[in-house]
Amino acid sequence: MLEIKNLEVAYGKNKILKGVNLSADSGMIHGVLGINGAGKTTLFKTIYGFKKPNAGTVLYRQQALKNDDIGYMETACYFYPLMTGMEYLKLLGIGNQDFSIEKWNELFELPLHEYVENYSTGMKKKLAFIGVIAMDRPILILDEPFNGVDIESNEKILQLLLRLKSTNKIIIIASHIIESLTRICDKINLLENRVIKTTYERSDFSILEKELKDKVKIKIDEALDGLI
């Protein structure tokens, strides 16, 4: 189990997260839902170790979490210049003898012998996703994995995540698009006002969707009152 307890993170005087608590079990897909700017990326960077928390703990199996336990896919993927897709996957797959670049690429059909800097946004996203799998870490943290990919690749990623779930990994996905989370998540954590406001079980996803739609409708009605 991954346990996040009373996590507080700030950039200078600007507090982004204030007392975040979250528990994630193995063999489950956990969603983190929030509007743009809610702090999803800050939360993930802190879990991975890119950002030092001001307070709180992140534990895996009751020990301090190490980034060697995590396969982290950022929203904006960075790649070294003049590196091919093949070189990238070979680098991330070091130590994982069961990983077959050729077989995995049959799913996404990337031009692995070309420089990654020439890839489209969607191609880079797919390469980064395969790279996370190549690392074979017990915890996968995916920040907006569906952004920029086409409909077919979106479906492939969804199906692959369900398969990876069956291997007893801890999978945490952040998104601001609720439909991508309700399809595959076992739980969805609503990040709002710098905390995990509510954790919804699958049986309560319809309640979450209605609450969010009602909030958006109220905002739209207030903004357009007197205009239309």
Side-chain angles (χ1 to χ4, degrees):
M1 175 183 284
L2 176 69
E3 296 178 278
I4 300 167
K5 299 181 179 180
N6 302 314
L7 197 67
E8 296 190 5
V9 183
Y11 289 93
K13 294 182 179 180
N14 185 20
K15 187 168 286 187
I16 307 300
L17 302 175
K18 184 179 180 180
V20 168
N21 292 283
L22 188 154
S23 297
D25 298 311
S26 300
M28 297 181 70
I29 300 176
H30 306 263
V32 178
L33 178 69
I35 62 173
N36 289 333
K40 302 184 299 295
T41 295
T42 296
L43 173 61
F44 282 6
K45 286 185 175 181
T46 305
I47 295 172
Y48 188 66
F50 282 156
K51 175 66 177 171
K52 185 176 180 181
N54 297 77
T57 58
V58 182
L59 304 176
Y60 174 53
R61 295 179 176 175
Q62 300 181 336
Q63 302 291 327
L65 178 66
K66 302 175 182 177
N67 61 9
D68 287 347
D69 294 321
I70 303 173
Y72 176 35
M73 179 177 168
E74 299 184 73
T75 303
C77 309
Y78 173 80
F79 301 94
Y80 292 110
L82 301 181
M83 173 178 275
T84 67
M86 179 66 73
E87 290 170 336
Y88 176 79
L89 293 180
K90 284 182 177 179
L91 178 63
L92 268 63
I94 292 175
N96 183 5
Q97 296 180 349
D98 295 328
F99 180 72
S100 170
I101 294 175
E102 291 75 15
K103 288 183 179 179
W104 276 101
N105 195 46
E106 287 178 3
L107 291 168
F108 293 111
E109 301 177 317
L110 294 171
L112 294 180
H113 295 288
E114 294 183 14
Y115 290 135
V116 179
E117 61 188 36
N118 296 324
Y119 283 17
S120 66
T121 299
M123 291 164 66
K124 289 178 180 178
K125 183 72 76 169
K126 289 183 279 188
L127 181 66
F129 182 72
I130 300 174
V132 167
I133 294 173
M135 297 169 72
D136 193 29
R137 302 287 172 78
I139 302 171
L140 300 182
I141 296 181
L142 311 174
D143 196 354
E144 302 287 357
F146 310 108
N147 280 8
V149 299
D150 56 37
I151 296 174
E152 182 178 344
S153 298
N154 184 87
E155 185 63 28
K156 287 178 180 179
I157 291 173
L158 285 167
Q159 296 295 333
L160 285 170
L161 288 172
L162 291 172
R163 285 288 190 99
L164 289 169
K165 166 187 169 179
S166 68
T167 65
N168 213 37
K169 292 185 184 296
I170 295 173
I171 303 174
I172 306 177
I173 306 173
S175 180
H176 60 275
I177 303 172
I178 188 170
E179 289 81 5
S180 61
L181 296 181
T182 54
R183 276 197 60 188
I184 61 171
C185 289
D186 298 286
K187 296 182 180 182
I188 296 177
N189 302 276
L190 180 61
L191 183 58
E192 190 173 79
N193 297 325
R194 300 177 290 180
V195 299
I196 299 294
K197 183 179 179 181
T198 312
T199 297
Y200 294 83
E201 303 287 341
R202 173 165 284 279
S203 58
D204 296 324
F205 285 178
S206 60
I207 297 173
L208 169 61
E209 289 179 300
K210 184 178 185 305
E211 289 177 350
L212 292 178
K213 288 178 181 178
D214 288 345
K215 283 183 181 179
V216 171
K217 186 178 185 304
I218 290 171
K219 288 183 178 180
I220 291 175
D221 289 343
E222 291 176 348
L224 296 181
D225 188 31
L227 296 176
I228 299 177

Short mmCIF file of all heavy atoms in Angstrom, two decimals, residues 101-132:
data_model
loop_
_atom_site.label_atom_id
_atom_site.label_comp_id
_atom_site.label_asym_id
_atom_site.label_seq_id
_atom_site.Cartn_x
_atom_site.Cartn_y
_atom_site.Cartn_z
N ILE A 101 10.87 -4.68 -26.79
CA ILE A 101 10.56 -3.42 -27.46
C ILE A 101 9.71 -3.66 -28.70
O ILE A 101 8.71 -2.99 -28.95
CB ILE A 101 11.85 -2.67 -27.83
CG1 ILE A 101 12.59 -2.24 -26.55
CG2 ILE A 101 11.54 -1.45 -28.70
CD1 ILE A 101 13.94 -1.59 -26.81
N GLU A 102 10.11 -4.65 -29.48
CA GLU A 102 9.43 -4.92 -30.74
C GLU A 102 7.97 -5.32 -30.51
O GLU A 102 7.06 -4.84 -31.22
CB GLU A 102 10.15 -6.03 -31.52
CG GLU A 102 11.52 -5.64 -32.06
CD GLU A 102 12.60 -5.59 -30.98
OE1 GLU A 102 12.36 -6.13 -29.85
OE2 GLU A 102 13.66 -5.01 -31.23
N LYS A 103 7.72 -6.19 -29.54
CA LYS A 103 6.35 -6.64 -29.30
C LYS A 103 5.47 -5.51 -28.77
O LYS A 103 4.31 -5.37 -29.17
CB LYS A 103 6.35 -7.81 -28.32
CG LYS A 103 6.88 -9.10 -28.94
CD LYS A 103 6.78 -10.25 -27.96
CE LYS A 103 7.29 -11.55 -28.60
NZ LYS A 103 7.23 -12.68 -27.64
N TRP A 104 6.01 -4.69 -27.87
CA TRP A 104 5.23 -3.58 -27.34
C TRP A 104 4.95 -2.56 -28.44
O TRP A 104 3.88 -1.96 -28.49
CB TRP A 104 5.94 -2.93 -26.16
CG TRP A 104 5.67 -3.64 -24.87
CD1 TRP A 104 6.47 -4.54 -24.22
CD2 TRP A 104 4.48 -3.54 -24.08
NE1 TRP A 104 5.86 -5.01 -23.08
CE2 TRP A 104 4.63 -4.41 -22.98
CE3 TRP A 104 3.30 -2.81 -24.22
CZ2 TRP A 104 3.65 -4.55 -22.00
CZ3 TRP A 104 2.32 -2.95 -23.24
CH2 TRP A 104 2.49 -3.81 -22.14
N ASN A 105 5.91 -2.36 -29.33
CA ASN A 105 5.70 -1.35 -30.37
C ASN A 105 4.73 -1.82 -31.45
O ASN A 105 4.25 -1.02 -32.25
CB ASN A 105 7.03 -0.95 -31.01
CG ASN A 105 6.90 0.32 -31.83
OD1 ASN A 105 6.31 1.30 -31.37
ND2 ASN A 105 7.43 0.31 -33.03
N GLU A 106 4.42 -3.12 -31.48
CA GLU A 106 3.39 -3.58 -32.40
C GLU A 106 2.04 -2.93 -32.08
O GLU A 106 1.19 -2.77 -32.96
CB GLU A 106 3.26 -5.10 -32.32
CG GLU A 106 4.43 -5.85 -32.95
CD GLU A 106 4.29 -7.35 -32.81
OE1 GLU A 106 3.24 -7.81 -32.28
OE2 GLU A 106 5.21 -8.08 -33.21
N LEU A 107 1.87 -2.53 -30.82
CA LEU A 107 0.62 -1.90 -30.41
C LEU A 107 0.52 -0.45 -30.87
O LEU A 107 -0.56 0.03 -31.23
CB LEU A 107 0.47 -1.96 -28.89
CG LEU A 107 0.24 -3.34 -28.28
CD1 LEU A 107 0.39 -3.27 -26.77
CD2 LEU A 107 -1.15 -3.84 -28.64
N PHE A 108 1.66 0.26 -30.86
CA PHE A 108 1.62 1.70 -31.12
C PHE A 108 2.30 2.12 -32.42
O PHE A 108 2.14 3.25 -32.86
CB PHE A 108 2.25 2.46 -29.95
CG PHE A 108 1.45 2.35 -28.68
CD1 PHE A 108 1.93 1.63 -27.59
CD2 PHE A 108 0.21 2.96 -28.57
CE1 PHE A 108 1.20 1.54 -26.42
CE2 PHE A 108 -0.53 2.87 -27.40
CZ PHE A 108 -0.04 2.15 -26.33
N GLU A 109 3.07 1.23 -33.03
CA GLU A 109 3.66 1.44 -34.36
C GLU A 109 4.42 2.77 -34.46
O GLU A 109 4.20 3.57 -35.36
CB GLU A 109 2.55 1.38 -35.43
CG GLU A 109 1.81 0.05 -35.43
CD GLU A 109 0.68 0.02 -36.44
OE1 GLU A 109 -0.06 1.02 -36.52
OE2 GLU A 109 0.54 -0.99 -37.14
N LEU A 110 5.33 2.97 -33.53
CA LEU A 110 6.14 4.19 -33.53
C LEU A 110 7.38 4.01 -34.40
O LEU A 110 7.93 2.90 -34.49
CB LEU A 110 6.58 4.53 -32.10
CG LEU A 110 5.46 4.92 -31.13
CD1 LEU A 110 6.01 5.02 -29.71
CD2 LEU A 110 4.82 6.23 -31.55
N PRO A 111 7.86 5.07 -35.05
CA PRO A 111 9.10 5.00 -35.85
C PRO A 111 10.32 5.07 -34.93
O PRO A 111 10.95 6.11 -34.78
CB PRO A 111 8.99 6.24 -36.75
CG PRO A 111 8.20 7.22 -35.94
CD PRO A 111 7.23 6.40 -35.14
N LEU A 112 10.63 3.95 -34.31
CA LEU A 112 11.62 3.93 -33.23
C LEU A 112 13.03 4.29 -33.66
O LEU A 112 13.87 4.63 -32.81
CB LEU A 112 11.62 2.55 -32.55
CG LEU A 112 10.33 2.19 -31.79
CD1 LEU A 112 10.46 0.80 -31.17
CD2 LEU A 112 10.01 3.22 -30.72
N HIS A 113 13.32 4.22 -34.93
CA HIS A 113 14.67 4.54 -35.39
C HIS A 113 14.82 6.02 -35.80
O HIS A 113 15.88 6.43 -36.24
CB HIS A 113 15.08 3.61 -36.53
CG HIS A 113 15.18 2.17 -36.11
ND1 HIS A 113 16.21 1.70 -35.32
CD2 HIS A 113 14.35 1.12 -36.34
CE1 HIS A 113 16.02 0.41 -35.09
NE2 HIS A 113 14.91 0.03 -35.69
N GLU A 114 13.76 6.78 -35.61
CA GLU A 114 13.82 8.21 -35.86
C GLU A 114 14.07 8.96 -34.55
O GLU A 114 13.79 8.46 -33.46
CB GLU A 114 12.52 8.70 -36.49
CG GLU A 114 12.25 8.16 -37.88
CD GLU A 114 10.97 8.73 -38.47
OE1 GLU A 114 10.46 9.73 -37.92
OE2 GLU A 114 10.49 8.17 -39.48
N TYR A 115 14.58 10.18 -34.64
CA TYR A 115 14.80 11.01 -33.46
C TYR A 115 13.45 11.37 -32.83
O TYR A 115 12.52 11.76 -33.52
CB TYR A 115 15.57 12.28 -33.80
CG TYR A 115 17.01 12.05 -34.18
CD1 TYR A 115 17.55 12.70 -35.29
CD2 TYR A 115 17.83 11.21 -33.44
CE1 TYR A 115 18.88 12.50 -35.65
CE2 TYR A 115 19.15 11.01 -33.79
CZ TYR A 115 19.69 11.65 -34.90
OH TYR A 115 20.99 11.45 -35.24
N VAL A 116 13.40 11.29 -31.52
CA VAL A 116 12.17 11.57 -30.80
C VAL A 116 11.75 13.03 -30.98
O VAL A 116 10.56 13.34 -30.99
CB VAL A 116 12.33 11.25 -29.30
CG1 VAL A 116 11.04 11.56 -28.55
CG2 VAL A 116 12.69 9.78 -29.10
N GLU A 117 12.73 13.93 -31.15
CA GLU A 117 12.40 15.35 -31.31
C GLU A 117 11.54 15.61 -32.55
O GLU A 117 10.89 16.65 -32.65
CB GLU A 117 13.67 16.19 -31.35
CG GLU A 117 14.60 15.87 -32.50
CD GLU A 117 15.93 16.59 -32.38
OE1 GLU A 117 16.42 16.76 -31.25
OE2 GLU A 117 16.46 16.99 -33.42
N ASN A 118 11.51 14.64 -33.46
CA ASN A 118 10.69 14.78 -34.66
C ASN A 118 9.31 14.15 -34.51
O ASN A 118 8.50 14.20 -35.44
CB ASN A 118 11.40 14.16 -35.86
CG ASN A 118 12.70 14.88 -36.20
OD1 ASN A 118 12.79 16.10 -36.07
ND2 ASN A 118 13.71 14.13 -36.63
N TYR A 119 9.04 13.55 -33.36
CA TYR A 119 7.75 12.92 -33.11
C TYR A 119 6.67 13.99 -32.89
O TYR A 119 6.94 15.09 -32.41
CB TYR A 119 7.80 12.04 -31.85
CG TYR A 119 8.48 10.70 -32.00
CD1 TYR A 119 9.32 10.41 -33.06
CD2 TYR A 119 8.27 9.70 -31.06
CE1 TYR A 119 9.94 9.18 -33.18
CE2 TYR A 119 8.88 8.47 -31.15
CZ TYR A 119 9.73 8.21 -32.22
OH TYR A 119 10.34 7.00 -32.32
N SER A 120 5.44 13.62 -33.16
CA SER A 120 4.30 14.48 -32.81
C SER A 120 4.06 14.38 -31.30
O SER A 120 4.63 13.52 -30.61
CB SER A 120 3.05 14.02 -33.55
OG SER A 120 2.64 12.74 -33.10
N THR A 121 3.19 15.23 -30.79
CA THR A 121 2.86 15.21 -29.36
C THR A 121 2.30 13.85 -28.95
O THR A 121 2.68 13.28 -27.92
CB THR A 121 1.84 16.30 -29.02
OG1 THR A 121 2.40 17.58 -29.33
CG2 THR A 121 1.46 16.27 -27.54
N GLY A 122 1.40 13.31 -29.76
CA GLY A 122 0.81 12.02 -29.44
C GLY A 122 1.82 10.89 -29.48
O GLY A 122 1.77 9.97 -28.64
N MET A 123 2.73 10.93 -30.42
CA MET A 123 3.76 9.90 -30.52
C MET A 123 4.68 9.93 -29.30
O MET A 123 5.08 8.89 -28.77
CB MET A 123 4.55 10.08 -31.81
CG MET A 123 3.75 9.76 -33.06
SD MET A 123 4.51 10.40 -34.58
CE MET A 123 6.01 9.43 -34.66
N LYS A 124 5.02 11.13 -28.86
CA LYS A 124 5.86 11.26 -27.66
C LYS A 124 5.15 10.70 -26.43
O LYS A 124 5.77 10.05 -25.58
CB LYS A 124 6.23 12.72 -27.43
CG LYS A 124 7.22 13.27 -28.44
CD LYS A 124 7.50 14.74 -28.18
CE LYS A 124 8.50 15.30 -29.20
NZ LYS A 124 8.74 16.75 -28.99
N LYS A 125 3.85 10.96 -26.35
CA LYS A 125 3.08 10.46 -25.22
C LYS A 125 3.06 8.92 -25.21
O LYS A 125 3.23 8.29 -24.16
CB LYS A 125 1.65 11.01 -25.29
CG LYS A 125 0.77 10.62 -24.13
CD LYS A 125 1.15 11.36 -22.85
CE LYS A 125 0.67 12.80 -22.90
NZ LYS A 125 0.78 13.48 -21.59
N LYS A 126 2.89 8.33 -26.37
CA LYS A 126 2.87 6.86 -26.46
C LYS A 126 4.24 6.28 -26.14
O LYS A 126 4.33 5.23 -25.48
CB LYS A 126 2.40 6.43 -27.85
CG LYS A 126 0.92 6.70 -28.09
CD LYS A 126 0.45 6.20 -29.44
CE LYS A 126 0.79 7.15 -30.55
NZ LYS A 126 0.17 6.75 -31.84
N LEU A 127 5.30 6.93 -26.59
CA LEU A 127 6.66 6.46 -26.29
C LEU A 127 6.91 6.51 -24.79
O LEU A 127 7.48 5.58 -24.21
CB LEU A 127 7.69 7.31 -27.04
CG LEU A 127 9.15 6.92 -26.82
CD1 LEU A 127 9.45 5.54 -27.40
CD2 LEU A 127 10.09 7.96 -27.44
N ALA A 128 6.50 7.60 -24.16
CA ALA A 128 6.69 7.73 -22.72
C ALA A 128 5.91 6.66 -21.97
O ALA A 128 6.38 6.11 -20.96
CB ALA A 128 6.26 9.12 -22.26
N PHE A 129 4.72 6.32 -22.46
CA PHE A 129 3.91 5.30 -21.82
C PHE A 129 4.59 3.93 -21.90
O PHE A 129 4.68 3.20 -20.90
CB PHE A 129 2.53 5.23 -22.47
CG PHE A 129 1.60 4.23 -21.84
CD1 PHE A 129 1.06 4.45 -20.60
CD2 PHE A 129 1.29 3.05 -22.49
CE1 PHE A 129 0.21 3.52 -20.01
CE2 PHE A 129 0.45 2.11 -21.93
CZ PHE A 129 -0.09 2.36 -20.68
N ILE A 130 5.12 3.60 -23.07
CA ILE A 130 5.84 2.33 -23.20
C ILE A 130 7.08 2.35 -22.30
O ILE A 130 7.44 1.33 -21.69
CB ILE A 130 6.26 2.08 -24.67
CG1 ILE A 130 5.05 2.03 -25.58
CG2 ILE A 130 7.04 0.77 -24.79
CD1 ILE A 130 5.40 1.92 -27.06
N GLY A 131 7.73 3.50 -22.20
CA GLY A 131 8.92 3.61 -21.36
C GLY A 131 8.62 3.34 -19.89
O GLY A 131 9.40 2.69 -19.19
N VAL A 132 7.49 3.82 -19.42
CA VAL A 132 7.09 3.56 -18.03
C VAL A 132 6.88 2.07 -17.81
O VAL A 132 7.26 1.51 -16.78
CB VAL A 132 5.80 4.35 -17.69
CG1 VAL A 132 5.19 3.86 -16.38
CG2 VAL A 132 6.12 5.84 -17.58
#
